[in-house]
Amino acid sequence: MKSKIWLSSPHMSGREIEFVKEAFDANWVAPLGPNVDGFERDLCDYTGAKNAAALSSGTAAIHLAMILSDVGPGDFVICQSFTFSATANPIVYQGATPVFVDSEPETWNMDPALLEEAILKIRQRADKQGEIKTIVPVHLYGMPAKMNEILAIGERHGIPVIEDAAEALGSKYTGRPAGTFGKFSALSFNGNKIITTSGGGALLSDDEEMIRKARFLSTQARDNAPHYQHSHIGYNYRMSNIVAGIGRGQIQVLDERVKRRREINQWYRELLKDMPGVSFQTAPSDKHFSNHWLTAIVIDPETAGTDRETLRLALAEENIEARPLWKPMHLQPVFEKAPRFVNGVSESLFDNGLCLPSGSNLTDEELARIESVLTSLLPGSIEKR
Ligand SMILES: *Cc1c(COP(=O)(O)O)cnc(C)c1O
C-alpha cells in the first residue's frame, strides 16, 4: 500500500518543541502560563486584534462568543449553512434556534441578500421572547466572505456579527486580516488547520472586557475568594500552556504556510486549467485574499467526462484523501427542523465539489502521485501537457 496522502496534515517547524520544553523545564503544565500569554500576544500581533483568549478549541471560542452575545432559549442566530457543524452546534448548546442562510456563488459564503431577507422574515414571525442575537458568517476554505455587505446589514438592523475565521487565519479582506471583522471572531488550531496546536482555538475581540469575561468563563468562572466560589456557570475551555507552546512555534511560520498553500492552489490551477467542466473556488476580486487552506474544485459531470465521486474514489484507490465539500447544515438530519433561507448554491456545491490535498508539507513526489490520478481521469489536463 502506498503511503497515505492527507487532505491537510500538521506541519511542524521544529521551533514548537523549544517552547514546549521551556514549559516542562519551568513545570508550567497547566491551563495558564507564559506560553498562553505569549500566544495570545502573538495572535494579536499577527491579526491586529486588540485582545485574544487562547482556548481549548474553535468550538469553545464560538460557544463563548454566543454566551457573551447573550444568546439564550427562544433566540435566533443567523448562521451560514455552508460550513462545518462546529459553527452551528453552539447555537443549540445555548437553547437558541439556528436560522440557516445559503451562500452566494462567488465566494461560496453567506449571501448578503438572503441574509437580509432572513432578518426581515424572522422578525415578522418571531414571538415576543425571541430575538435575532447574532449573525455568523464563515470564510470557507479560507476564502473571505463579503464582509462589507454582511457587516453593513448587521449594523442596519442592530445585530452584531460573530466571525467564524476557523479556516481563515492568514486570509485578508480589503487588506485587513480575517479574525478582526466580528464583534467576536473565532480561530481554530485543530490538527488539520493551517497552523495547529494539536487541538485549540482562540476568541478575538476589540472589546477588552468581553475577552476578560471569556477568560473567566473558560476557567470555571471562579469568583475572587480563597475557597471555590461561583456566581456563574463556568466552562473548562482554557488552552493549556503546553499546547500554547506549540502555537507559539507555529505562528512564527504562518506566513510561510500561507505562501505554500497558495502555491499548491496555483499548481492545481495550472494542472487543470484546460480541463472543461472543472472550476475552482476563486476570489471574485482582489479585495478577497484567501490563505487557500484547502483547494476546492467543482466538477460539472455534464462536461468533465467524469464526476466528483469517480474522482474521489480514484484518488482513494491510490491512498490519497480527498473529501466532498462540507455538507450544508440545512441538509443535515440533526438540523432538519431549523428555519432556512436557501437558493440551491451550497447544495449544488456539495453535490459536485471536492477538496483536494492541500497541506503545506506535500512533497513533489506526493504531488506527482496526485497529478497522475487527476490527469488519468480528466483528459483535458493531459492534452495540455
Ligand atoms: C474547524 C472549524 C471549527 C471548529 O474548530 P475546532 O477547533 O475543531 O473546535 C469551526 N468552524 C469551522 C468553519 C471549522 O472549520
Side-chain angles (χ1 to χ4, degrees):
M1 186 72 142
K2 288 180 182 150
S3 63
K4 175 102 176 181
I5 299 178
W6 299 96
L7 200 59
S8 176
S9 74
H11 186 183
M12 294 296 114
S13 70
R15 298 176 200 175
E16 299 82 6
I17 199 76
E18 294 163 28
F19 290 102
V20 172
K21 184 167 184 310
E22 265 174 44
F24 270 74
D25 291 348
N27 205 30
W28 274 110
V29 186
L32 80 171
N35 281 336
V36 175
D37 301 340
F39 189 44
E40 288 177 346
R41 275 196 309 275
D42 294 344
L43 288 169
C44 291
D45 290 345
Y46 188 89
T47 59
K50 293 210 175 79
N51 309 277
L55 301 168
S56 54
S57 70
T59 311
I62 297 168
H63 188 197
L64 289 176
M66 294 289 159
I67 294 168
L68 295 168
S69 302
D70 193 32
V71 173
D75 288 331
F76 296 92
V77 171
I78 300 187
C79 181
Q80 181 165 324
S81 184
F82 197 30
T83 187
F84 179 63
S85 63
T87 313
N89 285 337
I91 301 166
V92 181
Y93 300 166
Q94 287 306 102
T97 301
V99 177
F100 293 115
V101 165
D102 214 328
S103 294
E104 35 80 12
E106 290 190 320
T107 72
W108 303 0
N109 293 308
M110 185 179 274
D111 182 334
L114 269 186
L115 164 63
E116 186 138 51
E117 186 186 326
I119 294 170
L120 296 173
K121 295 245 166 83
I122 290 289
R123 281 205 168 145
Q124 278 167 12
R125 73 172 237 188
D127 57 28
K128 294 275 175 329
Q129 64 158 338
E131 253 187 82
I132 305 172
K133 282 286 168 67
T134 175
I135 300 164
V136 193
V138 184
H139 311 304
L140 211 65
Y141 312 125
M143 181 65 70
K146 296 187 173 177
M147 291 308 292
N148 282 351
E149 288 90 329
I150 292 166
L151 289 168
I153 291 165
E155 206 148 289
R156 187 155 1 114
H157 295 280
I159 309 170
V161 167
I162 295 174
E163 177 193 11
D164 182 346
E167 301 179 359
L169 185 57
S171 298
K172 293 186 190 121
Y173 176 74
T174 61
R176 196 167 129 195
T180 60
F181 288 90
K183 158 93 175 137
F184 297 102
S185 301
L187 300 176
S188 167
F189 314 109
N190 195 5
N192 61 352
K193 297 286 159 58
I194 192 156
I195 62 168
T196 181
T197 60
S198 70
L203 185 66
L204 309 183
S205 177
D206 283 350
D207 189 331
E208 189 178 357
E209 177 62 11
M210 285 293 172
I211 294 298
R212 202 193 54 73
K213 280 191 185 160
R215 292 196 188 107
F216 168 76
L217 292 172
S218 68
T219 48
Q220 308 287 20
R222 287 157 59 173
D223 292 346
N224 197 3
H227 51 276
Y228 285 136
Q229 175 158 309
H230 307 273
S231 319
H232 297 269
I233 293 295
Y235 301 84
N236 187 2
Y237 278 175
R238 198 73 164 120
M239 181 178 278
S240 95
N241 196 52
I242 301 297
V243 154
I246 306 175
R248 293 207 76 187
Q250 284 271 284
I251 202 163
Q252 291 185 4
V253 293
L254 175 54
D255 282 334
E256 288 166 47
R257 299 294 183 259
V258 172
K259 185 164 167 279
R260 183 62 185 149
R261 298 248 178 189
R262 289 177 54 86
E263 278 169 11
I264 288 167
N265 183 267
Q266 198 51 44
W267 178 83
Y268 280 116
R269 282 174 198 270
E270 282 296 314
L271 184 69
L272 302 175
K273 72 169 187 259
D274 296 327
M275 173 61 217
V278 176
S279 55
F280 284 78
Q281 184 189 34
T282 301
S285 75
D286 50 12
K287 280 202 298 196
H288 303 254
F289 177 90
S290 173
N291 65 8
H292 285 307
W293 170 58
L294 293 184
T295 288
I297 60 171
V298 177
I299 297 157
D300 175 4
E302 304 289 313
T303 50
T306 186
D307 58 25
R308 190 278 308 284
E309 226 17 40
T310 307
L311 192 57
R312 189 184 71 78
L313 291 169
L315 288 162
E317 190 69 27
E318 291 298 313
N319 212 15
I320 300 168
E321 184 185 31
R323 185 173 289 155
L325 301 189
W326 296 185
K327 183 170 181 172
M329 292 304 113
H330 73 272
L331 299 177
Q332 298 286 356
V334 71
F335 292 124
E336 213 168 48
K337 298 207 178 79
R340 73 262 332 262
F341 293 81
V342 294
N343 55 16
V345 170
S346 64
E347 186 162 352
S348 150
L349 288 167
F350 172 62
D351 286 343
N352 297 309
L354 190 65
C355 294
L356 296 168
S358 306
S360 48
N361 51 2
L362 285 170
T363 63
D364 288 348
E365 189 197 330
E366 289 173 324
L367 291 174
R369 278 174 57 199
I370 297 166
E371 173 171 347
S372 104
V373 178
L374 292 179
T375 51
S376 69
L377 263 119
L378 299 170
S381 57
I382 299 176
E383 281 159 33
K384 153 234 155 194
R385 297 180 67 76

